[in-house]
Amino acid sequence: MNFYIPFKTILVKEIYRFVRIWPQTLLPPAITTALYFLIFGQLIGDRIGTINGASYMDYIVPGIILMSVISHSYANVVSSFYSTKFQHNIEELLVAPVPNWVILAGYISGGIMRGLLVGVVVAGISTLFAPIAVQHMLITLSIAALTATLFSLAGFINAVLAESFDAISIIPNFVLTPLSYLGGVFYSVSMLPSIWQTISMGNPILYMVNAFRYGLIGVTDVDIQLAFMMTGSFIVVMILFSLFLLHRGTGIKN
């Protein structure tokens, strides 16, 4: 069977979905980013000076870009797949001869596309405030893609398990946002007391932000190989768990 057609159908639907409502999906992150750079970068950054040899504006650019990638790749999948469940369109996929891995790949690819597209928009806005020459292009692109993949998977799992619209907002509000802001976006871990440095090392977003920062400006607080290993391991675990949920029909067939 040709699995490319169902995969392409799901992916095109997902891309059309967020492009069609671009004032809600692409414009807000551009405005938010401009405010971040204006307030934190220009108004506060001049008073902070440099961090690890980089100006404060340059230091926060990678974190803000990746934070946008995280939130929008997650939001795209969790809202789209849960809406499919809520509107009972999921039955069309369940009765079609489409393997679970194709369904998963289609929705995750849509989340990756939106996350990376928003990242490009935010990066474009950042050049107006802090032009940055990318130090390690391969690391920059690969960690951005892996991060978008990871949080698209997280959004998919949330959507499968969610039983109401309120349930799909709990994780972003009470887990994802705090971890993002505490992931070294606006500060270096070395600036924290030793106990908080140790606690921060348990935050996986810290490793992704620092790997992306290393790719852009060559500055990091963590081991880059460890960051890639952790991100890749989380992706494998979440893929297997997502396929397990689809196979059992958890939150879908009941």
Side-chain angles (χ1 to χ4, degrees), residues 229-249:
M229 289 176 58
M230 287 186 61
T231 306
S233 298
F234 277 121
I235 289 174
V236 172
V237 171
M238 286 190 172
I239 288 175
L240 295 177
F241 187 54
S242 297
L243 292 174
F244 171 75
L245 293 176
L246 287 174
H247 177 71
R248 291 194 58 183

Side-chain angles (χ1 to χ4, degrees), residues 17-252:
R17 175 180 173 271
F18 70 76
V19 171
R20 178 173 55 85
I21 54 174
W22 65 268
Q24 302 176 37
T25 57
L26 301 180
L27 186 58
I31 297 174
T32 303
T33 299
L35 292 175
Y36 275 135
F37 290 138
L38 181 63
I39 296 173
F40 290 96
Q42 293 191 339
L43 299 182
I44 298 178
D46 291 340
R47 301 184 181 184
I48 295 178
T50 62
I51 299 180
N52 295 340
S55 69
Y56 188 68
M57 178 70 83
D58 290 349
Y59 192 84
I60 67 174
V61 164
I64 292 176
I65 295 174
L66 200 66
M67 189 167 61
S68 299
V69 172
I70 289 171
S71 60
H72 286 272
S73 57
Y74 186 97
N76 190 79
V77 181
V78 72
S79 61
S80 178
F81 193 78
Y82 183 78
S83 295
T84 302
K85 286 174 49 180
F86 181 77
Q87 297 168 1
H88 299 288
N89 297 330
I90 190 67
E91 283 83 354
E92 298 176 8
L93 283 175
L94 295 178
V95 300
V98 180
N100 290 333
W101 67 266
V102 175
I103 298 174
L104 179 64
Y107 278 95
I108 298 309
S109 297
I112 294 171
M113 291 297 293
R114 176 175 167 183
L116 295 180
L117 182 57
V118 170
V120 171
V121 171
V122 172
I125 297 296
S126 70
T127 59
L128 302 176
F129 296 88
I132 294 178
V134 179
Q135 300 296 314
H136 308 281
M137 181 62 73
L138 181 59
I139 292 177
T140 301
L141 296 178
S142 56
I143 196 64
L146 288 174
T147 301
T149 303
L150 174 60
F151 286 95
S152 294
L153 286 163
F156 184 86
I157 293 172
N158 188 184
V160 170
L161 298 177
E163 297 180 355
S164 67
F165 279 103
D166 291 335
I168 68 174
S169 63
I170 292 176
I171 300 298
N173 291 335
F174 297 101
V175 178
L176 202 57
T177 299
L179 287 179
S180 297
Y181 280 99
L182 297 175
V185 174
F186 298 103
Y187 60 87
S188 170
V189 175
S190 61
M191 300 168 64
L192 300 175
S194 57
I195 181 64
W196 287 107
Q197 290 186 31
T198 303
I199 294 174
S200 295
M201 290 301 173
N203 182 357
I205 293 181
L206 174 73
Y207 295 86
M208 302 172 205
V209 168
N210 273 277
F212 191 69
R213 179 176 289 128
Y214 178 78
L216 279 182
I217 64 175
V219 174
T220 181
D221 291 325
V222 302
D223 181 78
I224 301 302
Q225 292 183 349
L226 178 60
F228 275 94
M229 289 176 58
M230 287 186 61
T231 306
S233 298
F234 277 121
I235 289 174
V236 172
V237 171
M238 286 190 172
I239 288 175
L240 295 177
F241 187 54
S242 297
L243 292 174
F244 171 75
L245 293 176
L246 287 174
H247 177 71
R248 291 194 58 183
T250 302
I252 300 174

Side-chain angles (χ1 to χ4, degrees), residues 1-4 6 96-99:
M1 178 179 177
N2 186 0
F3 298 126
Y4 174 73
V98 180

